[in-house]
PDB file of all heavy atoms in Angstrom:
ATOM      1  N   THR R 119       7.247  -1.676  -1.461  1.00 74.00           N
ATOM      2  CA  THR R 119       8.491  -2.476  -1.693  1.00 74.00           C
ATOM      3  C   THR R 119       9.521  -1.649  -2.385  1.00 74.00           C
ATOM      4  O   THR R 119      10.550  -2.152  -2.741  1.00 74.00           O
ATOM      5  CB  THR R 119       8.094  -3.679  -2.570  1.00 74.00           C
ATOM      6  OG1 THR R 119       7.553  -3.251  -3.832  1.00 74.00           O
ATOM      7  CG2 THR R 119       7.098  -4.560  -1.845  1.00 74.00           C
ATOM      8  N   LEU R 134      11.671  28.113  18.477  1.00 96.00           N
ATOM      9  CA  LEU R 134      11.884  27.814  19.927  1.00 96.00           C
ATOM     10  C   LEU R 134      11.971  29.048  20.685  1.00 96.00           C
ATOM     11  O   LEU R 134      12.797  30.012  20.344  1.00 96.00           O
ATOM     12  CB  LEU R 134      13.134  26.906  20.121  1.00 96.00           C
ATOM     13  CG  LEU R 134      13.119  25.625  19.340  1.00 96.00           C
ATOM     14  CD1 LEU R 134      14.367  24.864  19.609  1.00 96.00           C
ATOM     15  CD2 LEU R 134      11.916  24.805  19.732  1.00 96.00           C
ATOM     16  N   ASP R 388      31.803  43.531  11.171  1.00 91.00           N
ATOM     17  CA  ASP R 388      32.625  42.294  11.406  1.00 91.00           C
ATOM     18  C   ASP R 388      31.684  41.125  11.676  1.00 91.00           C
ATOM     19  O   ASP R 388      30.970  41.095  12.722  1.00 91.00           O
ATOM     20  CB  ASP R 388      33.493  42.520  12.612  1.00 91.00           C
ATOM     21  CG  ASP R 388      34.407  41.363  12.923  1.00 91.00           C
ATOM     22  OD1 ASP R 388      34.280  40.349  12.278  1.00 91.00           O
ATOM     23  OD2 ASP R 388      35.229  41.447  13.888  1.00 91.00           O
ATOM     24  N   THR R 459     -17.788  36.156   3.994  1.00 69.00           N
ATOM     25  CA  THR R 459     -17.722  37.237   3.128  1.00 69.00           C
ATOM     26  C   THR R 459     -18.060  36.788   1.695  1.00 69.00           C
ATOM     27  O   THR R 459     -18.238  35.637   1.406  1.00 69.00           O
ATOM     28  CB  THR R 459     -16.434  38.063   3.125  1.00 69.00           C
ATOM     29  OG1 THR R 459     -15.418  37.125   2.677  1.00 69.00           O
ATOM     30  CG2 THR R 459     -16.025  38.450   4.479  1.00 69.00           C
ATOM     31  N   ARG R 481     -30.795  57.046 -11.973  1.00 90.00           N
ATOM     32  CA  ARG R 481     -30.142  57.912 -13.034  1.00 90.00           C
ATOM     33  C   ARG R 481     -31.288  58.562 -13.806  1.00 90.00           C
ATOM     34  O   ARG R 481     -32.011  57.930 -14.606  1.00 90.00           O
ATOM     35  CB  ARG R 481     -29.268  56.981 -13.951  1.00 90.00           C
ATOM     36  CG  ARG R 481     -28.423  57.762 -14.930  1.00 90.00           C
ATOM     37  CD  ARG R 481     -27.488  56.869 -15.667  1.00 90.00           C
ATOM     38  NE  ARG R 481     -28.226  55.792 -16.460  1.00 90.00           N
ATOM     39  CZ  ARG R 481     -28.310  54.536 -16.118  1.00 90.00           C
ATOM     40  NH1 ARG R 481     -27.658  54.067 -15.063  1.00 90.00           N
ATOM     41  NH2 ARG R 481     -28.995  53.678 -16.842  1.00 90.00           N
TER      42      ARG R 481
END
Side-chain angles (χ1 to χ4, degrees):
T119 59
L134 303 179
D388 180 357
T459 64
R481 190 175 58 252

